[in-house]
Amino acid sequence: MANPKNPVEKRIDDLAALWLQACEAPEVRVIVWRVPGNAGRMMAAFFEAQKHLEPASTPDLFQNFDAPFETGFGYSRELMGALRDGYVASRGELKQQGLPIDWRGAHGEYPDSAAGVLAMFQSFAEYYQAQMRYFAPVLSPSQVASSSGLEQWLDAALRAPIPDRLRLCLVDNVEDKRWQALAERHGKAVRVIDAPIDMFDIARQTAAQSSGGAAPSTAYRAMLADVMTLLEKGSAAQTAARADKAMKLVQREQWHDQQVVLHMAVAGAHLKQAEHSEAIHRYRAARECALAAEAARHPAGTNLIMQTWFGEAGVWLSAQQPVRASETYAQAASVARRVPNAMFALEGLRMAGYCLAQDGQVEPARERYLAAVAEAKAMPPADRPLTTLALLLQDMLRLQDAPRAERIAQCAPAYQQDVAEALQQAEAQSARLGPQPAPAALEKIEKELLTRYELAFRTLCDQRERLIGGGDVFFRKVVALARDYLHPAWNGVPEVKHPLDKELLEWSQPPQFAQLPEPDDLLDTANTTTKPTPAVPAEASV
């Protein structure tokens, strides 16, 4: 007798049935999968399963394309390149399976347009028609520079129209319904599949189906799935009631780490409802359990203690008690050093300084910031960009000269506006070329676009360097420190990288960099201003 399908496999079958139903209408050319925001991994599993399950639950081939979208012609080029490269890379595997490997369309000439993409995709689908009914490209750009440009590209694709052996796929979620307007514009050509995948229900069913019968671990997994479901959808009281039932089991089994998990889940539920005192009580209960885990030599014990401090600090900040929040973040940083975790030590001290700055305590805030700088100094250089060091340095600039730091920050939106206008102009110019644009005409548009990018970037850099150069000595030392610790062209947050991803030595026109003092004494100060972390009282009212 065959093993029963697990909950994930059952959902894959459900999704396949929805897909097959949606494809029954011959006029459908684009299918929008509408799922809950947390169901992305389930959709990815469904698409992947159609390639590997034998037999697959649909007769169609789904292929994900995550090429970033910048311009319509550039996106078209990226999509065709991705299919071509993927095909060439898989020829060995196809040959082993006894499938033909001489698809000439891989090296065909197609225009850089939506129509060109569809022609190439159709060629692929027709060549392998014995292996698939439809080729179903899943368009999920990793980045989108212009949402309106992407919609225009899809409009052009639907005007083409999409060939019979293709079904383009898009994914949105029930929270934003990103592609609803597209569906309304194109009527029957776009079908929306509402797929109410309940990931918490899947987790609950998976726990119930797990082997072990009535074993404590099996029962606990089911209980924990319920707690997480209520944390997402229920009230704090409901979450607490369910967690307390699970707590009896984990206390009996002396699973200290899971006691921490349950207490922190309930604390999060209370915080969602702005019940600050109750949240703090739960975080402190979680800490007692984490201390017990550490005493029992649990490998994650110290890390769990750190997490309870960060959680409590967030509650104090939410409750608009920045001084208490600062003290608690400092405690979190102290424990992070014991883990050891330099990244969280830096973040705890940064937030401790941020909270004091919110309270108007300039010098104490600066001391905490400088202590965080000391944590960064001790890190391997490659680790620093992975931390919140850039935010820390911007916080220091803001503390020293808030108006100047804000003007530096506002250069970024101005740059983005320049880029958006350049993109819009390039899209309009390429659209006038029609579905079969001449390569030379596109090359001219693209060259002008890149020139405008570099001009906008140079303007931003020049503006920021003037602002930096006008700052006082301490302000400029912080920037010098950033250029030592992060990269030599750092000029503030939000950071704007070179639009063509060029290194500084490759920039066509580097800015006139501001003269900066050596930051060494700033680092010396950081090593001498760290004070003992004050103890946070065990009991306090919010």
Side-chain angles (χ1 to χ4, degrees), residues 182-197:
L182 182 78
E184 292 171 357
R185 281 200 304 276
H186 294 280
K188 294 181 179 180
V190 179
R191 176 69 58 87
V192 176
I193 295 179
D194 288 304
I197 303 169

Side-chain angles (χ1 to χ4, degrees), residues 453-470:
Y453 279 175
E454 291 205 79
L455 177 61
F457 182 70
R458 188 163 65 246
T459 299
L460 172 138
C461 291
D462 288 340
Q463 290 172 341
R464 284 187 164 181
E465 290 303 322
R466 286 194 295 270
L467 288 165
I468 291 167

Side-chain angles (χ1 to χ4, degrees), residues 345-476:
L346 184 154
E347 177 61 6
L349 290 167
R350 182 186 80 84
M351 285 303 300
Y354 171 84
C355 293
L356 290 174
Q358 295 298 299
D359 194 54
Q361 299 188 44
V362 175
E363 289 307 318
R366 196 191 321 275
E367 290 178 2
R368 289 299 186 193
Y369 286 152
L370 289 170
V373 169
E375 297 292 338
K377 180 181 181 181
M379 288 180 182
D383 289 350
R384 292 171 186 154
L386 307 178
T387 71
T388 55
L389 177 58
L391 293 177
L392 163 65
L393 295 166
Q394 187 73 6
D395 287 344
M396 293 177 71
L397 295 180
R398 188 177 296 110
L399 186 70
Q400 185 68 16
D401 188 340
R404 186 174 301 276
E406 180 60 23
R407 289 199 297 274
I408 286 174
Q410 287 304 313
C411 291
Y415 165 79
Q416 294 296 344
Q417 181 61 33
D418 288 344
V419 167
E421 291 175 359
L423 276 173
Q424 188 175 25
Q425 180 178 336
E427 289 283 23
Q429 290 173 330
S430 62
R432 287 194 289 271
L433 299 177
Q436 305 288 328
L442 284 181
E443 183 179 355
K444 182 175 183 293
I445 292 171
E446 188 166 26
K447 185 177 180 180
E448 291 173 352
L449 176 63
L450 297 182
T451 299
R452 287 192 63 177
Y453 279 175
E454 291 205 79
L455 177 61
F457 182 70
R458 188 163 65 246
T459 299
L460 172 138
C461 291
D462 288 340
Q463 290 172 341
R464 284 187 164 181
E465 290 303 322
R466 286 194 295 270
L467 288 165
I468 291 167
D472 63 19
V473 173
F474 186 88
F475 193 96
R476 288 181 287 121

